[in-house]
Amino acid sequence: MNSLKTLNAQQKEAVTTLDGPIMILAGAGSGKTRVIIQRIAYLIQKKQVPPQQIIAVTFTNKAAEEMRKRLQGILSGKQEGIHLSTFHSLGVGLLRNSIHHLGYRSNFIIYDTRDQFSVIKTIMEDQDFDDSELIDAKSVHYEICQAKSTGILPEEFMDQHASQQKQLVGKIFRHYQKTMKGCNAIDFDDILNLTVTLFEEHPEVMDSLTERFRYIMVDEYQDTNHIQYKLLRHLTKRHRNLCVVGDDDQSIYGWRGAEVKNILNFERNYPDVKFIRLEQNYRSTQKILTAANQVISENTQRMPKKLWSEKHVGEKLDWLLADSEEEELEAVTRKIRTKIMQHGRRYLDYSILYRSNFQSRLVEEALREAKIPYRMLGGTSFYDREEIRDALAYLKVIHNPNDEVSLHRIINTPRRGIGKTSLIKAYEYCHETHLPLFKVMRDARKYEKIPKDSAFKMEIFTGIISNYKQRFANEVLGTVLKDLLDEIGYLRFLETRSGDAKTRERRIMNVLELQVSVRKFSDKFPEANLQSFLERVSLFTQSDNDPETKADQVSIMTLHSAKGLEFPFVFMVGMSEGVFPNNRAIEEGSEDEERRLCYVGITRAQQELTFSMAKSRKRYGESIKQEPSRFLLNIDPELLAVPIIGEASEKVKKELSRESRSAFFSQIKHMGTS
């Protein structure tokens, strides 16, 4: 195979080592996908292995399709028969042939999240759990998914948890599984659980599979969970030709069930494993990689590896230090615009990465105000998030009570006991009287068909809206919004509505960030009113349909969404303690995963990397002093350009000696600790 000549020595070894358990530790940007493709081609072309005996598993349909296209280009049709898919696609294929052994029919259907919610809600209503203050459908769904990712069944779940809340979840879980089976339906998590059950309870049925599949390859092995690990153990028990490709330093999905111990403990399960390290990076400059190595080396539980590059010439890493978050992002946008104007760069060459979703609000506003086109990847724009849309719907109804789309959204958000039947009666009166819904609700006790209890609640609700309409017209916007959200109990509502603690915290943080946004808007424009704020938000939420700028856009995203991507110029914003690493993650003992997340962010950059932070940030109306992120302080000062404070000139930067730079960095390092 002539293509082997284009591989480095370690890549070639990974391609040509075929038998027994093999772990390819593939650092960021080391060409792992190319190695997997070439390895499959080598098996077929050089070793004459029938394609039907090869399985290659990855985590997304997009990645599987990309591999399929690249193989087609190399093998010219000889790839037919290779099982190249996601774990779940593999599981569905196996279940179609054998699920009848578990009491299901082969024409089972797969319920999506919406279908699952419907089943759970029906069970909760039938069992009188629907009005429980302890649980809601979303939290039950989350608990069931988490249990299934580790292979826990309902009875085990109830044995493991004694609290009243968990016991309720366990009972619903049990009813849920029975209901699903009665409908001949399975959910996404059942796919792999039932496949593993087949291997364990009916090994004779699965023997033909373990005999057929002789070479198994797994991409992104660090992202596997317990059930995927068990499935691979069953598939490879006969031939043990398992080749896993991954990087423990990029294991950042523990919050959704991935277990980094699968890669760290691989040698314990396969003592005869052959380790091959891919450490040459083809993406980034050596300065960027040195910084990445320094950050990740602080993790003690990891497989040793050290990225290196032949791109020795490269810019020093920049550090933008500003007084406030607004000034920080102004410095970021100013740097982007300067590069675009002076060096003819494209917007699509730039990416802004941040740790948490709530940070996107400031990023989006800074880009809008700088007239820089952008696109958000892997996330939802700040003003499109459900909790923000709820809060804005209140403001829209206060501004215009005849906005019935917004009114319908908030009537029972949070719940206030206005039932569907009562609303139907109210709508009937709307048609009879030609009055808008708000006016009918405002005088609901006049209308006999509306139940008295609901009518009273309608009038209380419209009274709140009318009161705040008056207050928004005469008081400071930020203060009034806070009072409104307190009075309707919206944050308490989010605390009970969200499925898991992290989701709950994220949604609450988003609403608090909206309050900050409104407060800053009224501080900046003292004469502004509710209408002008809503108009401003409307401008932020309008999509940019200009065909000339749609493709050429700065990419903004969370660090989690950045995995697998690369950009010539990367900004990592909010590099301060408590923001990144995230306070909650540190409290939960997840510093190692936070550090891996930082490593992933750094290694997205090809040519230039810029960190930024603010000396202080405002939270709940208070100015909080910030210290540099511990990750930033792991980087040798010699790799960093002088921190730019405000409008620091290039001349000042050039005049500072190496010793001055190190001394200055040392001062910044201890900022806030003296």
Side-chain angles (χ1 to χ4, degrees):
M1 290 177 64
N2 291 332
S3 55
L4 290 180
K5 294 179 180 178
T6 64
L7 304 176
N8 65 39
Q10 291 72 33
Q11 290 174 329
K12 192 178 297 184
E13 183 183 13
V15 167
T16 58
T17 305
L18 304 177
D19 297 321
I22 300 157
M23 173 171 282
I24 302 173
L25 285 168
S30 62
K32 69 178 179 64
T33 304
R34 185 182 181 198
V35 165
I36 295 171
I37 298 298
Q38 293 292 346
R39 196 171 188 276
I40 295 172
Y42 186 81
L43 280 167
I44 294 171
Q45 292 180 327
K46 188 73 175 177
K47 296 300 180 180
Q48 304 300 309
V49 174
Q52 293 80 5
Q53 294 181 1
I54 301 171
I55 292 182
V57 186
T58 187
F59 273 82
T60 66
N61 290 314
K62 182 180 178 182
E65 185 58 32
E66 175 64 22
M67 284 189 186
R68 193 172 287 111
K69 286 180 181 177
R70 289 172 67 171
L71 272 172
Q72 189 172 4
I74 295 173
L75 296 175
S76 304
K78 293 180 182 177
Q79 79 281 357
E80 293 300 324
I82 299 172
H83 196 106
L84 181 59
S85 72
T86 63
F87 272 102
H88 289 86
S89 294
L90 171 64
V92 169
L94 301 181
L95 290 176
R96 289 294 179 198
N97 294 323
S98 307
I99 199 171
H100 61 278
H101 292 281
L102 300 178
Y104 293 81
R105 298 184 299 281
S106 61
N107 64 340
F108 63 85
I109 56 174
I110 302 171
Y111 277 7
D112 62 17
T113 301
R114 196 170 291 180
D115 297 327
Q116 291 172 257
F117 278 145
S118 179
V119 173
I120 291 169
K121 284 180 179 177
T122 300
I123 292 169
M124 291 176 70
E125 289 169 2
D126 290 346
Q127 300 298 318
D128 294 325
F129 296 148
D130 191 40
D131 292 324
S132 171
E133 294 182 1
L134 292 172
I135 53 173
D136 61 90
K138 285 192 175 182
S139 62
V140 172
H141 177 257
Y142 172 80
E143 293 280 4
I144 290 175
C145 291
Q146 287 295 101
K148 289 186 176 186
S149 74
T150 55
I152 293 175
L153 298 173
E155 300 306 324
E156 293 175 86
F157 182 90
M158 295 175 74
D159 288 342
Q160 290 178 8
H161 302 286
S163 72
Q164 184 182 359
Q165 181 188 36
K166 299 286 188 180
Q167 286 292 307
L168 280 175
V169 172
K171 290 176 183 177
I172 297 169
F173 188 2
R174 186 169 55 202
H175 280 288
Y176 173 81
Q177 289 301 97
K178 288 181 180 177
T179 302
M180 293 287 284
K181 192 168 185 177
C183 296
N184 195 40
I186 66 175
D187 61 32
F188 196 70
D189 295 296
D190 285 328
I191 293 170
L192 298 185
N193 277 290
L194 292 175
T195 305
V196 168
T197 300
L198 277 171
F199 275 107
E200 292 176 346
E201 296 182 3
H202 300 277
E204 73 288 351
V205 173
M206 312 307 280
D207 280 349
S208 61
L209 291 173
T210 54
E211 179 63 36
R212 171 189 162 190
F213 295 127
R214 291 174 175 264
Y215 293 93
I216 298 176
M217 277 166 276
V218 184
D219 189 17
E220 305 286 8
Y221 186 68
Q222 77 279 352
D223 294 335
T224 53
N225 63 24
H226 182 65
I227 293 300
Q228 290 159 344
Y229 158 79
K230 287 178 73 173
L231 176 59
L232 291 171
R233 292 279 284 174
H234 285 301
L235 282 170
T236 57
K237 69 177 181 179
R238 195 163 290 201
H239 299 290
R240 301 181 77 255
N241 292 331
L242 173 62
C243 175
V244 299
V245 184
D247 181 7
D248 56 302
D249 290 337
Q250 296 187 75
S251 179
I252 59 173
Y253 298 122
W255 50 277
R256 68 183 189 197
E259 297 189 3
V260 69
K261 68 180 183 181
N262 289 349
I263 195 167
L264 295 176
N265 296 340
F266 194 79
E267 188 173 11
R268 185 183 303 172
N269 299 313
Y270 298 92
D272 54 336
V273 62
K274 167 76 171 176
F275 285 103
I276 301 170
R277 286 173 169 79
L278 304 183
E279 297 173 300
Q280 182 175 358
N281 176 286
Y282 294 90
R283 175 188 300 157
S284 309
T285 67
Q286 187 58 53
K287 286 187 177 67
I288 291 170
L289 298 180
T290 300
N293 288 332
Q294 289 171 353
V295 169
I296 201 62
S297 65
E298 296 291 320
N299 275 2
T300 54
Q301 297 294 310
R302 62 183 291 263
M303 312 286 282
K305 71 188 79 68
K306 195 170 185 179
L307 291 180
W308 63 275
S309 171
E310 291 181 345
K311 300 176 183 177
H312 293 293
V313 178
E315 297 291 329
K316 286 198 170 191
L317 283 58
D318 233 339
W319 185 12
L320 305 182
L321 182 64
D323 289 329
S324 67
E325 291 171 294
E326 288 82 7
E327 288 182 18
E328 173 194 357
L329 291 166
E330 282 173 16
V332 168
T333 57
R334 186 165 56 246
K335 184 171 180 179
I336 292 173
R337 292 196 66 173
T338 300
K339 292 277 188 181
I340 296 289
M341 290 187 290
Q342 292 182 356
H343 304 287
R345 311 288 191 198
R346 301 172 301 173
Y347 287 119
L348 60 85
D349 291 333
Y350 291 84
S351 176
I352 301 175
L353 311 181
Y354 42 86
R355 170 61 181 86
S356 303
N357 279 305
F358 76 88
Q359 293 172 267
S360 73
R361 196 268 303 175
L362 279 174
V363 174
E364 289 187 74
E365 290 190 5
L367 289 167
R368 288 278 185 174
E369 289 180 9
K371 294 183 170 54
I372 294 176
Y374 70 91
R375 59 175 181 158
M376 179 175 285
L377 300 182
T380 305
S381 177
F382 181 82
Y383 290 107
D384 282 336
R385 291 181 185 130
E386 185 176 1
E387 59 275 13
I388 301 303
R389 291 174 69 87
D390 285 346
L392 291 176
Y394 271 95
L395 299 184
K396 289 176 181 178
V397 171
I398 289 168
H399 173 61
N400 174 19
N402 293 336
D403 178 354
E404 293 199 0
V405 172
S406 297
L407 178 60
H408 188 72
R409 183 182 186 99
I410 64 173
I411 284 174
N412 275 309
T413 306
R415 287 186 182 181
R416 47 179 55 89
I418 300 173
K420 291 180 182 177
T421 303
S422 300
L423 280 173
I424 290 171
K425 297 297 181 185
Y427 275 116
E428 288 176 1
Y429 283 115
C430 289
H431 291 301
E432 288 177 16
T433 61
H434 303 290
L435 291 173
L437 178 61
F438 186 85
K439 286 189 176 179
V440 170
M441 292 176 65
R442 188 182 60 191
D443 301 316
R445 282 180 290 180
K446 288 182 179 178
Y447 303 100
E448 295 178 358
K449 293 180 182 178
I450 300 175
K452 288 183 179 179
D453 184 52
S454 290
F456 182 64
K457 290 172 181 174
M458 286 180 182
E459 291 185 11
I460 290 175
F461 167 67
T462 55
I464 291 172
I465 298 298
S466 299
N467 175 46
Y468 278 93
K469 186 177 184 67
Q470 193 72 26
R471 288 194 60 187
F472 271 111
N474 297 292
E475 299 177 42
V476 178
L477 298 184
T479 303
V480 181
L481 174 60
K482 182 182 184 305
D483 290 349
L484 169 66
L485 295 175
D486 286 344
E487 182 164 346
I488 64 174
Y490 191 72
L491 295 182
R492 292 195 303 276
F493 165 69
L494 289 180
E495 286 176 357
T496 58
R497 183 168 178 263
S498 302
D500 62 285
K502 287 185 178 178
T503 301
R504 181 163 60 246
E505 181 183 42
R506 184 178 69 245
R507 288 183 169 179
I508 290 171
M509 286 294 290
N510 285 337
V511 174
L512 294 175
E513 187 65 23
L514 177 66
Q515 291 183 29
V516 171
S517 174
V518 174
R519 188 183 305 115
K520 288 180 177 177
F521 176 75
S522 55
D523 288 346
K524 190 173 182 180
F525 306 104
E527 302 302 316
N529 55 23
L530 183 57
Q531 178 179 330
S532 56
F533 175 75
L534 290 172
E535 285 174 355
R536 183 171 183 269
V537 169
S538 179
L539 291 174
F540 280 133
T541 54
Q542 289 297 314
S543 59
D544 186 353
N545 293 316
D546 184 347
E548 293 186 5
T549 61
K550 194 167 182 64
D552 189 21
Q553 298 168 316
V554 172
S555 297
I556 70 171
M557 70 200 82
T558 64
L559 285 153
H560 282 99
S561 297
K563 188 171 178 293
L565 304 177
E566 58 185 44
F567 301 90
F569 309 102
V570 169
F571 291 83
M572 291 175 63
V573 301
M575 292 295 295
S576 58
E577 281 292 299
V579 178
F580 189 37
N582 176 272
N583 265 334
R584 185 181 183 87
I586 298 300
E587 290 167 5
E588 294 178 348
S590 300
E591 180 180 338
D592 280 9
E593 183 156 323
E594 288 288 286
R595 191 175 293 280
R596 293 194 290 266
L597 190 56
C598 185
Y599 171 85
V600 166
I602 292 172
T603 54
R604 299 311 95 195
Q606 296 170 302
Q607 298 175 30
E608 294 181 21
L609 174 64
T610 302
F611 299 110
S612 71
M613 65 164 284
K615 291 181 184 178
S616 67
R617 61 189 176 113
K618 286 202 171 180
R619 286 295 174 267
Y620 320 121
E622 231 181 288
S623 185
I624 303 170
K625 194 172 185 179
Q626 299 202 120
E627 299 177 22
S629 166
R630 65 190 68 184
F631 305 145
L632 194 55
L633 302 182
N634 293 141
I635 299 172
D636 184 345
E638 291 303 314
L639 292 173
L640 293 162
V642 175
I644 301 173
I645 304 176
E647 299 281 354
S649 68
E650 292 297 316
K651 181 181 177 183
V652 173
K653 290 173 65 182
K654 288 175 182 176
E655 286 177 355
L656 281 173
S657 65
R658 178 178 298 180
E659 290 74 24
S660 300
R661 247 191 331 263
S662 296
F664 184 60
F665 182 82
S666 181
Q667 287 180 344
I668 297 298
K669 177 174 180 178
H670 298 292
M671 181 181 71
T673 61
S674 58

